Amino acid sequence: MNYPLVQEPLQQTTFCQSFNLNYRAICNNLLSLTQSRSLPKGLALHAHIIKSGIQIIPLVSHHLINFYSKLQRPIDSTLVFHETHPKSSTTWSSVISSLSQNEQPILALQFFRQMLHDGVTPDDHIFPCATKACGILCDYRIGQSIHCFAFKIGFDSDVFVGSSLVDMYAKCGNIEIARKVFDQMPERNVVSWSGMIYGYAQMAEDEEALRLFKLALGEGLDVNDFTFSSVIRVCANSTLLELGKQIHGLCLKTSYDSSSFIGSALISLYSKCGLVEGAYRVFNEVPVRNLGMWNAMLIACAQHGHTEKVFGLFKEMEGIGMKPNFITFLCVLYACSHAGLVPEGKFYFDLMKKHGVEPGDQHYASLVDCLGRAGKLQEAVQVIEKMPMQPTESVWGALLTGCRIHKNTELAAYVADRVFELGPVSSGVHVLLSNAYAAAGRYQEAAKARKMLRDRGVKKETGLSWVEEGNKVHTFAAGDRSHSKYKEIYEKLDELGDYMEQAGYVADTNYVLQQVAGQEKSETIRYHSERLAIAFALITFPPERPIRIMKNLRVCGDCHNAIKIISKCTKRVIIVRDNNRFHRFEGGKCSCGDYW
């Protein structure tokens, strides 16, 4: 008669053990499906969880929210969150993290505010998620409020919170505040170091970024892919190829070379340094490519004039289900513009909406540039008139470029009036207008445009060219005589001038905008910065080494013609990167086909 009393606890124990096993198995399965990014199986498991009634367990909800977050379905994460009762701090942390990780910063901050309203105190996991959202918004004022709150409840000295604050201030462009927080941290981790390095890189303070990276390595920091990618981008922006190669070697040693973040940075490095073959190699070697890598390869191909490759990569993206974004289309439109492919440019512009991408002012600028360069100026004007937003300086600037190429000064003057209605504009627009007048031989109007530039207190960017040699960057300006080898450089230019004249070169002085005497015009052109850099490379580099020159402004038409002849006379490969694209000169020809 006493048997039932003995068996009842055994049955309860068996049930609890079975439940625990089932519960643990479900959590493990969710983790596995999250890692494999398997949506169909995850949805099926979610249905089983609901039927089993264990969705109320906070840890199960946490795993579900994380699953949808990793599969870039943040709204599904919020649905799971709303069905969870009670909500622990882990549940709040999971959903805020999901939203901030998936580019939903406003929603993330709304949930953070609701959490505070519900009386839940943030912890060292929640604060970083909220500051990340502020970094995405580039709104340091909200970030400062969160910083103050963290200070009040004693989390400001926490390494995770402090690191997230450094990262947030750096991404918002407040590098001084970021550095102050960084210097005051009692303990730093890879996030704080990486955030600081990224901040300096973003502000173009490349030397400080590299100095910090060296310090981090000296302190034995176990750097990650974000740290490496930030430093590689510094090398790319400064075209420090040799240093970039050394860091690439470090990535290989630490097995970070397979990271898609590092992959996109390396593609940018090799592309910007004129080694597009290196960019292709990196792209092909990374096993899993994110959208950033695809976009980096697209822009590399576009800048180097590999237009057919751009179209091929875009089709490949569509074939594997990789969804293009607004940057993807900018890359493709850029390629169309610089190859003079108007029908293709129109096709890809119209294709944007089919992919759910709304054209922005940059896309309109690219389309206007494509039409303007091809001489379809009136059609470009019609595109501008039909824009759903106010045309920006870049849109009008694209049309001005077309006016300069095709010497349409009347339209250039009309465009200039529209641009100046926008208020203060960059020096580039004034220079474009001046160049458009000068190209048509209207030097008085060109001088007026330059005077307007001076009167408005806007300084024209100085034209510079630089070349890397022996871990040192040698920089030149037009007519520069400050280099230690300037005598040899000028002798080389004079020697080249004789060869070039024999090859039929005649200086095109239309590219000298000042009204000066003919001989003076020829002298002015002969000593442009890119020619000085090339002459330096010719007397310094071994004969088999390609010459890579970087320039901050557009290469002028006469220098473009001259470098083609220099490449033929010297039998050297000369690669020039200006502010628009790459020009590969070899055997008297340029990869741009004289269309740039």
Side-chain angles (χ1 to χ4, degrees):
M1 287 191 301
N2 292 330
Y3 288 153
L5 294 175
V6 175
Q7 286 187 344
E8 187 173 8
L10 287 173
Q11 290 173 348
Q12 288 177 350
T13 302
T14 304
F15 172 77
C16 289
Q17 288 175 342
S18 175
F19 177 82
N20 285 335
L21 286 171
N22 185 42
Y23 160 73
R24 289 176 183 174
I26 284 173
C27 287
N28 289 334
N29 281 335
L30 271 173
L31 283 170
S32 175
L33 294 174
T34 300
Q35 291 172 351
S36 63
R37 304 292 195 271
S38 179
L39 180 60
K41 291 181 180 178
L43 292 171
L45 184 56
H46 189 179
H48 173 71
I49 289 169
I50 294 171
K51 289 177 182 178
S52 303
I54 62 172
Q55 75 273 16
I56 60 171
I57 300 174
L59 189 56
V60 174
S61 297
H62 162 72
H63 285 308
L64 275 171
I65 291 170
N66 189 50
F67 168 75
Y68 286 118
S69 172
K70 296 298 183 186
L71 272 83
Q72 300 179 341
R73 296 168 72 99
I75 303 305
D76 288 337
S77 292
T78 63
L79 295 176
V80 174
F81 171 83
H82 288 306
E83 292 172 358
T84 305
H85 302 286
K87 296 174 174 63
S88 66
S89 61
T90 302
T91 317
W92 283 102
S93 174
S94 300
V95 74
I96 295 169
S97 174
S98 173
L99 293 166
S100 60
Q101 294 284 353
N102 286 283
E103 305 293 321
Q104 297 289 335
I106 295 174
L107 264 179
L109 292 172
Q110 286 175 355
F111 272 79
F112 181 76
R113 184 178 180 183
Q114 184 61 47
M115 181 197 70
L116 299 179
H117 183 268
D118 289 359
V120 179
T121 303
D123 57 22
D124 58 347
H125 294 288
I126 296 175
F127 272 121
C129 297
T131 54
K132 180 179 177 64
C134 298
I136 295 170
L137 288 171
C138 290
D139 193 334
Y140 77 94
R141 294 169 301 174
I142 300 174
Q144 277 184 322
S145 299
I146 295 171
H147 186 180
C148 289
F149 185 42
F151 182 82
K152 285 179 182 178
I153 63 174
F155 271 103
D156 60 305
S157 59
D158 180 89
V159 65
F160 299 109
V161 176
S163 298
S164 70
L165 287 168
V166 168
D167 186 63
M168 180 271 295
Y169 284 122
K171 285 177 178 173
C172 292
N174 289 77
I175 197 70
E176 296 83 6
I177 302 176
R179 187 57 185 265
K180 188 176 179 180
V181 174
F182 178 81
D183 289 338
Q184 291 176 349
M185 290 180 67
E187 179 188 356
R188 301 175 188 131
N189 63 8
V190 67
V191 177
S192 47
W193 280 98
S194 299
M196 206 65 246
I197 292 167
Y198 171 84
Y200 281 118
Q202 185 176 246
M203 300 297 290
E205 296 189 30
D206 297 341
E207 287 186 17
E208 187 61 18
L210 293 173
R211 193 183 74 82
L212 273 182
F213 179 67
K214 188 177 179 180
L215 278 174
L217 293 179
E219 291 193 9
L221 183 75
D222 188 14
V223 293
N224 61 15
D225 55 349
F226 183 69
T227 323
F228 277 127
S229 64
S230 297
V231 177
I232 292 167
R233 290 189 191 284
V234 169
C235 297
N237 293 336
S238 300
T239 60
L240 300 172
L241 178 61
E242 294 307 315
L243 180 59
K245 283 182 175 180
Q246 290 175 31
I247 296 171
H248 188 180
L250 272 176
C251 293
L252 288 166
K253 288 179 181 177
T254 53
S255 300
Y256 276 117
D257 57 304
S258 59
S259 162
S260 56
F261 295 107
I262 288 179
S264 59
L266 285 170
I267 289 169
S268 180
L269 166 74
Y270 288 116
S271 171
K272 287 183 176 181
C273 291
L275 290 170
V276 70
E277 300 82 6
Y280 281 127
R281 187 168 59 251
V282 170
F283 182 78
N284 291 327
E285 288 175 354
V286 175
V288 180
R289 304 165 188 151
N290 64 5
L291 183 57
M293 269 197 73
W294 284 94
N295 287 343
M297 198 64 240
L298 282 169
I299 193 61
C301 293
Q303 287 182 330
H304 284 270
H306 297 190
T307 311
E308 289 303 319
K309 186 66 177 177
V310 171
F311 299 149
L313 284 170
F314 188 87
K315 287 180 182 177
E316 194 177 339
M317 283 180 68
E318 289 185 311
I320 64 170
M322 178 68 70
K323 187 177 180 182
N325 66 358
F326 74 101
I327 296 175
T328 313
F329 281 102
L330 271 179
C331 298
V332 179
L333 289 171
Y334 177 94
C336 295
S337 172
H338 286 268
L341 302 175
V342 173
E344 289 82 352
K346 290 179 179 178
F347 169 78
Y348 284 104
F349 187 85
D350 293 335
L351 188 64
M352 289 175 65
K353 290 189 177 181
K354 293 181 181 178
H355 282 277
V357 180
E358 198 64 34
D361 61 282
Q362 291 172 294
H363 300 100
Y364 278 99
S366 290
L367 181 60
V368 168
D369 189 58
C370 186
L371 293 166
R373 287 176 185 274
K376 299 180 180 295
L377 296 174
Q378 290 307 315
E379 192 174 344
V381 171
Q382 290 171 10
V383 168
I384 295 174
E385 289 173 347
K386 293 176 182 177
M387 282 178 63
M389 73 282 289
Q390 184 75 16
T392 60
E393 181 184 318
S394 61
V395 174
W396 289 118
L399 185 55
L400 265 178
T401 298
C403 294
R404 175 190 56 78
I405 292 170
H406 299 285
K407 301 181 181 180
N408 191 327
T409 51
E410 287 72 21
L411 183 56
Y414 165 80
V415 173
D417 290 339
R418 303 289 79 75
V419 172
F420 296 139
E421 288 173 1
L422 299 175
V425 294
S426 68
S427 62
V429 172
H430 292 273
V431 173
L432 273 174
L433 179 61
S434 177
N435 290 353
Y437 282 129
R442 294 170 61 171
Y443 295 106
Q444 287 186 347
E445 288 93 335
K448 285 180 182 178
R450 295 265 173 168
K451 184 177 182 299
M452 191 184 300
L453 182 70
R454 293 192 298 272
D455 292 345
R456 295 192 178 199
V458 182
K459 290 185 178 180
K460 178 186 178 294
E461 187 178 0
T462 303
L464 299 172
S465 296
W466 60 95
V467 58
E468 186 181 6
E469 168 60 21
N471 286 328
K472 183 179 178 183
V473 176
H474 301 262
T475 306
F476 301 89
D480 197 346
R481 293 179 183 269
S482 62
H483 197 277
S484 60
K485 293 185 176 181
Y486 84 89
K487 288 184 179 179
E488 298 164 73
I489 290 169
Y490 277 76
E491 285 174 5
K492 190 65 178 178
L493 283 176
D494 291 339
E495 178 190 323
L496 285 172
D498 295 336
Y499 284 120
M500 290 164 66
E501 285 179 13
Q502 291 173 17
Y505 166 74
V506 178
D508 186 350
T509 55
N510 286 326
Y511 291 98
V512 180
L513 303 180
Q514 298 89 349
Q515 287 181 284
V516 294
Q519 181 61 33
E520 191 178 343
K521 281 187 176 185
S522 297
E523 292 293 318
T524 301
I525 283 182
R526 178 179 290 187
Y527 303 126
H528 274 185
S529 64
E530 53 266 57
R531 300 200 199 186
L532 295 175
I534 290 169
F536 167 77
L538 286 170
I539 63 175
T540 309
F541 291 4
E544 69 279 1
R545 177 176 168 180
I547 295 170
R548 296 182 181 87
I549 307 298
M550 310 299 158
K551 184 173 171 63
N552 63 331
L553 301 178
R554 182 182 183 273
V555 62
C556 82
D558 182 73
C559 284
H560 191 271
N561 292 332
I563 299 169
K564 284 197 296 183
I565 296 174
I566 291 172
S567 72
K568 187 175 182 178
C569 293
T570 61
K571 297 181 180 178
R572 301 289 289 267
V573 174
I574 303 172
I575 301 165
V576 178
R577 187 195 85 181
D578 66 11
N579 67 344
N580 236 355
R581 64 177 300 159
F582 279 87
H583 302 266
R584 181 187 175 92
F585 300 92
E586 187 172 9
K589 296 180 181 180
C590 179
S591 59
C592 75
D594 298 338
Y595 190 93
W596 86 101

